[in-house]
Amino acid sequence: YLKGKFSIHLREITLIVGVVITCYWNSLFCGFVFDDVSAILDNKDLHPSTPLKNLFHNDFWGTPMSEERSHKSYRPLTVLTFRLNYLYSELKPVSYHLLNLIFHAVVSVVFLKVCKLFLDSRSSIIASLMFAVHPIHTEAVTGVVGRAELLSSIFFLTAFLSYTKSKGPNNTIVWTPILLTVILVAIATLCKEQGVTVVGICCVYEVFIAQGYTLPLLYTTAVQILRGKGSIPFSLLQILLKLIVLMFSTLLLVVIRVQVIQSQLPVFTRFDNPAAVSPTPTRQLTFNYLLPVNAWLLFNPSELCCDWTMGTIPLIESFLDIRNLATFIFFCFLGSLLVFSVRYPGNSSKTVLMALCLMALPFIPASNLFFPVGFVVAERVLYVPSMGFCILVAHGWRKLSKRNVLKKLSWVCLSIVVITHALKTLHRNWDWESEYTLFMSALKVNKNNAKLWNNVGHALENEKNFERALKYFLQATHVQPDDIGAHMNVGRTYKNLNRTKEAEESYMIAKSLMPQIIPGKKYAARIAPNHLNVYINLANLIRANESRLEEADQLYRQAISMRPDFKQAYISRGELLLKMNKPLKAKDSYLRALDLDRSNADLWYNLAIVNIELKESTEALRNFDRALKMNPNHKLALFNSALLMQESGMLALLKCISS
C-alpha cells in the first residue's frame, strides 16, 4: 500500500500499467510519421552539437522564435526529452515510442489518484481504465510529437493534486503546496502551452469543492456584503487570497510567454483552418459546431483521422444548416450539467463540476473561440479533456449500477466499451507504422481533404514510386483546385518523370493561384512562405533552356520582391547569374543570402567559386576554409581548396591567409 501523494494500492497501479502495455505494445514497431518528421528527423535541436540554450530560443520544431515562419509553440522541456532519446539511440524510433508509452502509463496512474478525490475506489479504477484504453489517445501516445501532451499532463495533474493539499486545519492556508503548484504549472506550460489552464481548475476547486460554495450561496453572500448587512466571511477571504496568488502567477507566466513569442501569433493559411478566415456568421457557426464534433469523437472514436484540416469539415454558412441542431443540443446538455453542478450541493454535483472543468478549460486554447489555431480538429488536444469525459462516464455508470434492474446491464455495457476501446486502440496503433499506412487510413475516413491525398503522394514519392504518387497528387488538385501546394507537387512529379512540358504547365497553374502583391502588406500574412517555392521550381525548370535564362532570373527576382528574406531565391539566383557569366551580380546574391544564414557551408562554397571566377584566389581560399569550418566533411570545398592552392602556389597563399 502506497501512502502520501499516491494513496492507491499497488495492485491498482499494476492493473493500469498492464492495460497500457497491452494496448500500446505494438506502438514500439512504428516509425516517425507526419509531424514527427519535422519535430524529430529535421530538428537540429536534438543533436548534441547544438547548444542547449537553443532549446530555449527556438520553437518546438527547431525554428527560432524570432522568425516569422515560427510556429510559436514553445515547449523546450519536451524537446529536451527528445534530445535525451537522441543521445540514447539517435534516430531509432523504438526508444521514443517506449518513453511515450511509459509517460502514458504514468499519466493514467496519476489520473487514478485525481479520480479518487471525487469518485469511490471502483469508479476511479473504471475512469482510469477508460482513460488508459481510449482510442482518441493514439495520436498523443503513438505519435511521438504527442509527448508534449503526455508530459504536460503529468505536471498538470500533479499541480492540481498539490493544490488540493493547500487547505490546512481550521481552514488555514498551507503555502508550501501552493508554491509547489505554481512551479509545477510553470513546468507543465514549458512542456505544452495548455498546462497553464490547470490554474482555472484549481480556482474552481477552491471555491466550489474546498470551501463548499454553490452559486446561490455565493450570490446571497455577495448581496449581503454589498448591502452592508454582513462582513466578508473568513472562508471567502481565504479564497480571495489564494486566487490572487494563483492569478498573479498565471499572469506572470502569460506575460513571459507573450514575450517569448515576441507578441506575435503564428501565421496560418486558409488551408490549415478555413473557418478562421471566413466572414461572420460562418466563422462563429463553424467554430461552435466543432465543439460537438470533438465531443462525438470522445463518445464514439470509431472513425479517427490524423488530419482534419482543409475540406474535412465543410463550413456552416447558414443558420438553416441542420448541423446547427447538433450545436444547440450540445450546449443545452452542457448547460444543464453546469447548472446542476454549481447550483446544488452534494458529492454528485462536485464530481460533475470537476469533470466539466477538466473537459472544458484545457480545451479552450485549441477551441478557436478566442483566437485561431492551425487546425480544425486535432485528436491529441483531447488528451486532457478526455479525463473529464472518463470521470463523467464512470460517475454515470456508478449511478446506474446502484439500481438492481440495471446492475448487470451496466457491467455488460462497461465491459463491452472497455474491450472494444482497447481493441480499437491496438488496431489504430498499426496505422501509425508508416506515413503511407497513416495517410491511407485517414483517406478511408475522409476523402475531402487534399492534404491527405498530397501526403500519400509524398509517401510514395519518397519510395521513388512517381507514377503512383502522381495519381494522388492529381486527385488532390481535383479535391481542392486552388491548392497551390498540390499543383506544385504535380509539377515536381512530372519533372521527376522527365515530362517537362506537363511540369511547366502545373507550375504555371500554381503560379496563377498566387495572390498579387499588396504594397505595404506582409506577404507571409496571406499565404504560406513555402508556396513561394513555385517561382524557384519553375525557374529551375526553364533555365535548362539557354534561351530562357532571363525569364528564369525574372522569376527569382519576383520571389525576392515578395519576400526579401527568401534565402533560397538568392542562392538559386546566384547559381543562375554565374551560369549567365555575371559573377559580380552572383557574388552580391550570395552575400545577401549569407546575411540571412552565415552557418550554411554550401553558401560559403558557392561564394568561393564566384571568387575564383573573379580571380580573387585569396578570398576564395578563405571562403573554402569557412565552408570547411561549418562542415568538415564538405568534400567539394576540400577538393577545390586543395586544387586552388596547387594552382596558385600554396606557400604564397598560406602567407596571405596567415597575414
Side-chain angles (χ1 to χ4, degrees):
Y1 190 80
L2 300 178
K3 296 182 179 180
K5 192 174 181 180
F6 296 96
S7 298
I8 49 181
H9 291 287
L10 184 60
R11 63 175 178 270
E12 293 172 341
I13 297 175
T14 304
L15 173 64
I16 299 300
V17 173
V19 167
V20 169
I21 293 172
T22 301
C23 288
Y24 285 98
W25 64 270
N26 58 336
S27 70
L28 303 180
F29 301 97
C30 297
F32 295 120
V33 297
F34 203 16
D35 289 339
D36 296 348
V37 176
S38 299
I40 308 297
L41 299 183
D42 299 338
N43 192 347
K44 292 182 180 178
D45 285 350
L46 272 62
H47 301 172
S49 58
T50 303
L52 268 175
K53 65 178 182 180
N54 283 24
L55 273 63
F56 296 90
H57 294 297
N58 297 344
D59 66 14
F60 187 54
W61 317 95
T63 305
M65 296 291 286
S66 58
E67 290 192 13
E68 193 174 40
R69 63 190 177 94
S70 169
H71 192 270
K72 308 300 181 186
S73 46
Y74 189 64
R75 304 162 193 171
L77 296 187
T78 303
V79 179
L80 182 61
T81 66
F82 292 152
R83 187 166 173 135
L84 293 173
N85 274 123
Y86 189 93
L87 282 173
Y88 176 74
S89 64
E90 292 192 351
L91 293 176
K92 295 176 182 176
V94 175
S95 74
Y96 295 81
H97 288 294
L98 178 61
L99 199 53
N100 271 26
L101 188 155
I102 292 170
F103 285 146
H104 180 54
V106 172
V107 174
S108 301
V109 171
V110 180
F111 177 57
L112 174 60
K113 172 57 184 170
V114 172
C115 290
K116 290 202 171 189
L117 296 174
F118 313 107
L119 298 169
D120 61 30
S121 184
R122 179 180 291 175
S123 301
S124 297
I125 294 172
I126 288 168
S128 186
L129 282 174
M130 285 275 297
F131 177 80
V133 305
H134 204 296
I136 202 73
H137 298 155
T138 50
E139 183 172 340
V141 182
T142 311
V144 177
V145 295
R147 184 176 300 175
E149 263 75 25
L150 307 178
L151 275 175
S152 181
S153 297
I154 292 173
F155 296 106
F156 180 102
L157 294 175
T158 51
F160 176 67
L161 286 172
S162 176
Y163 186 80
T164 60
K165 300 181 184 297
S166 64
K167 182 180 177 181
N170 302 319
N171 208 23
T172 57
I173 299 177
V174 184
W175 288 106
T176 303
I178 294 177
L179 177 61
L180 181 59
T181 297
V182 172
I183 294 171
L184 290 169
V185 170
I187 295 172
T189 307
L190 289 173
C191 293
K192 192 176 181 185
E193 297 79 1
Q194 69 180 25
V196 75
T197 60
V198 71
V199 173
I201 295 173
C202 291
C203 292
V204 174
Y205 174 85
E206 179 64 35
V207 176
F208 294 98
I209 311 299
Q211 302 298 338
Y213 279 95
T214 60
L215 202 59
L217 183 57
L218 278 174
Y219 176 76
T220 303
T221 305
V223 169
Q224 288 179 345
I225 293 170
L226 291 172
R227 290 178 178 176
K229 294 182 179 180
S231 59
I232 301 177
F234 179 71
S235 61
L236 200 57
L237 288 172
Q238 297 282 66
I239 290 174
L240 289 173
L241 185 57
K242 282 184 170 183
L243 296 192
I244 287 171
V245 172
L246 282 178
M247 297 310 294
F248 178 78
S249 60
T250 304
L251 182 62
L252 186 61
L253 281 174
V254 171
V255 169
I256 294 172
R257 183 70 175 82
V258 171
Q259 289 295 318
V260 167
I261 66 173
Q262 300 182 358
S263 304
Q264 293 179 341
L265 288 174
V267 176
F268 301 116
T269 71
R270 62 188 177 88
F271 298 111
D272 297 318
N273 191 346
V277 294
S278 299
T280 300
T282 300
R283 182 171 65 254
Q284 291 79 8
L285 291 175
T286 305
F287 282 158
N288 280 286
Y289 171 67
L290 294 180
L291 300 179
V293 168
N294 280 280
W296 180 251
L297 285 173
L298 289 174
F299 186 77
N300 178 31
S302 58
E303 293 188 340
L304 300 177
C305 181
C306 63
D307 193 298
W308 295 78
T309 55
M310 302 188 85
T312 303
I313 299 176
L315 298 173
I316 298 179
E317 300 179 288
S318 167
F319 287 100
L320 300 178
D321 194 309
I322 191 65
R323 290 175 293 171
N324 290 320
L325 183 61
T327 307
F328 177 76
I329 293 171
F330 171 78
F331 277 108
C332 286
F333 180 70
L334 197 68
S336 62
L337 285 178
L338 184 61
V339 169
F340 166 77
S341 63
V342 298
R343 186 171 183 179
Y344 302 104
N347 292 331
S348 183
S349 59
K350 291 177 180 178
T351 301
V352 172
L353 178 61
M354 294 312 299
L356 290 176
C357 286
L358 277 169
M359 286 180 68
L361 295 181
F363 185 72
I364 286 175
S367 66
N368 281 293
L369 296 178
F370 297 98
F371 50 84
V373 295
F375 53 83
V376 180
V377 174
E379 291 163 13
R380 61 175 175 263
V381 304
L382 292 173
Y383 190 76
V384 176
S386 68
M387 295 177 187
F389 174 78
C390 292
I391 288 176
L392 276 181
V393 171
H395 183 58
W397 172 86
R398 180 171 172 267
K399 292 284 186 184
L400 290 175
S401 64
K402 283 184 175 180
R403 302 180 182 183
N404 291 330
V405 180
L406 299 174
K407 189 172 184 178
K408 289 184 178 178
L409 181 62
S410 66
W411 274 106
V412 170
C413 290
L414 178 68
S415 300
I416 291 173
V417 168
V418 171
I419 292 171
T420 53
H421 276 32
L423 291 174
K424 172 66 177 177
T425 297
L426 197 64
H427 180 265
R428 174 66 174 159
N429 288 335
W430 289 121
D431 291 340
W432 292 81
E433 186 177 12
S434 68
E435 295 218 311
Y436 178 77
T437 56
L438 179 64
F439 297 126
M440 284 301 291
S441 71
L443 281 176
K444 293 175 184 176
V445 175
N446 169 39
K447 290 181 171 60
N448 297 320
N449 186 339
K451 191 175 177 181
L452 294 175
W453 293 100
N454 279 319
N455 284 335
V456 174
H458 286 309
L460 292 167
E461 187 180 36
N462 290 336
E463 297 173 359
K464 307 298 181 184
N465 194 339
F466 299 121
E467 290 287 354
R468 284 191 65 199
L470 180 62
K471 294 178 182 178
Y472 284 92
F473 289 142
L474 286 171
Q475 184 60 34
T477 63
H478 294 147
V479 171
Q480 188 88 33
D482 60 347
D483 183 5
I484 298 170
H487 290 287
M488 289 170 64
N489 292 334
V490 171
R492 186 181 61 256
T493 309
Y494 274 134
K495 184 182 178 183
N496 288 329
L497 291 168
N498 294 318
R499 296 165 64 176
T500 54
K501 183 180 179 181
E502 292 98 327
E504 184 174 346
E505 289 172 356
S506 296
Y507 285 139
M508 290 300 292
I509 294 172
K511 181 173 173 287
S512 69
L513 294 170
M514 296 286 284
Q516 297 299 311
I517 300 174
I518 301 176
K521 187 172 182 181
K522 282 190 177 181
Y523 184 80
R526 293 180 285 120
I527 196 163
N530 65 329
H531 284 169
L532 282 170
N533 283 321
V534 67
Y535 295 98
I536 306 299
N537 294 349
L538 181 57
N540 290 346
L541 180 71
I542 66 176
R543 78 183 196 185
N545 186 336
E546 294 288 338
S547 64
R548 301 181 71 182
L549 297 183
E550 287 292 344
E551 187 181 344
D553 187 38
Q554 176 63 31
L555 288 166
Y556 291 136
R557 282 185 283 139
Q558 190 171 355
I560 291 169
S561 69
M562 286 182 166
R563 193 175 185 98
D565 62 347
F566 193 13
K567 180 181 67 178
Q568 188 56 49
Y570 291 113
I571 296 172
S572 298
R573 186 170 184 240
E575 294 170 356
L576 177 66
L577 290 168
L578 202 56
K579 184 177 181 180
M580 295 170 71
N581 198 26
K582 297 179 180 180
L584 281 173
K585 288 186 176 182
K587 181 179 180 180
D588 180 65
S589 189
Y590 286 135
L591 287 173
R592 286 176 177 268
L594 281 167
D595 287 338
L596 300 169
D597 182 10
R598 302 193 70 82
S599 62
N600 190 317
D602 290 332
L603 265 176
W604 289 111
Y605 170 78
N606 290 349
L607 184 59
I609 296 299
V610 175
N611 293 140
I612 292 174
E613 290 289 325
L614 294 170
K615 311 299 183 184
E616 299 170 348
S617 302
T618 304
E619 193 62 30
L621 194 57
R622 283 198 183 100
N623 289 329
F624 280 136
D625 186 54
R626 286 169 180 152
L628 289 168
K629 283 181 180 178
M630 300 298 169
N631 179 10
N633 297 319
H634 201 295
K635 294 180 180 178
L636 287 174
L638 191 63
F639 173 77
N640 281 283
S641 62
L643 192 63
L644 180 61
M645 284 189 289
Q646 184 180 15
E647 290 178 353
S648 303
M650 183 185 298
L651 291 175
L653 283 171
L654 286 174
K655 286 179 181 178
C656 290
I657 293 171
S658 61
S659 63

